[in-house]
Amino acid sequence: MPETHCPLCHHELDIRDVTPCDVCGANPEELSHLAAGRHTYSEYEIFPELTLVLCDFCDVDFGSYDPVWFGLPKQAKNRIRAHA
């Protein structure tokens, strides 16, 4: 797979502006929120080897994510802590 293509869906990658949030940062509307200072951003350690930057909106919703998406059992609890 060439580096110019997504390893998951195999589509050609493009370059575009995004916000720091790893969840909603690709949403074009979020660029106006970033410019207006509507959100704060924090880095969280999700697992020992995984950190994510989330905006204040997405960090509230993160606990509702399906743990199976992270390779965990369905009954696992999502626990995030701020990364120092």
Side-chain angles (χ1 to χ4, degrees):
M1 175 67 48
E3 289 183 17
T4 58
H5 289 74
C6 175
L8 299 175
C9 70
H10 309 290
H11 286 325
E12 188 171 1
L13 299 174
D14 60 340
I15 296 173
R16 59 184 165 160
D17 291 330
V18 296
T19 71
C21 184
D22 289 324
V23 175
C24 70
N27 181 342
E29 182 181 352
E30 292 301 319
L31 289 172
S32 65
H33 293 182
L34 177 66
R38 288 183 57 183
H39 299 292
T40 58
Y41 301 88
S42 299
E43 182 177 21
Y44 296 93
E45 182 178 43
I46 309 303
F47 303 110
E49 298 292 322
L50 175 64
T51 60
L52 293 176
V53 174
L54 301 174
C55 69
D56 53 355
F57 183 83
C58 290
D59 73 358
V60 170
D61 188 47
F62 191 79
S64 69
Y65 284 28
D66 187 346
V68 174
W69 192 78
F70 295 102
L72 297 171
K74 184 74 172 160
Q75 63 276 18
K77 299 280 187 201
N78 288 333
R79 292 190 174 95
I80 63 173
R81 62 184 167 135
H83 188 65

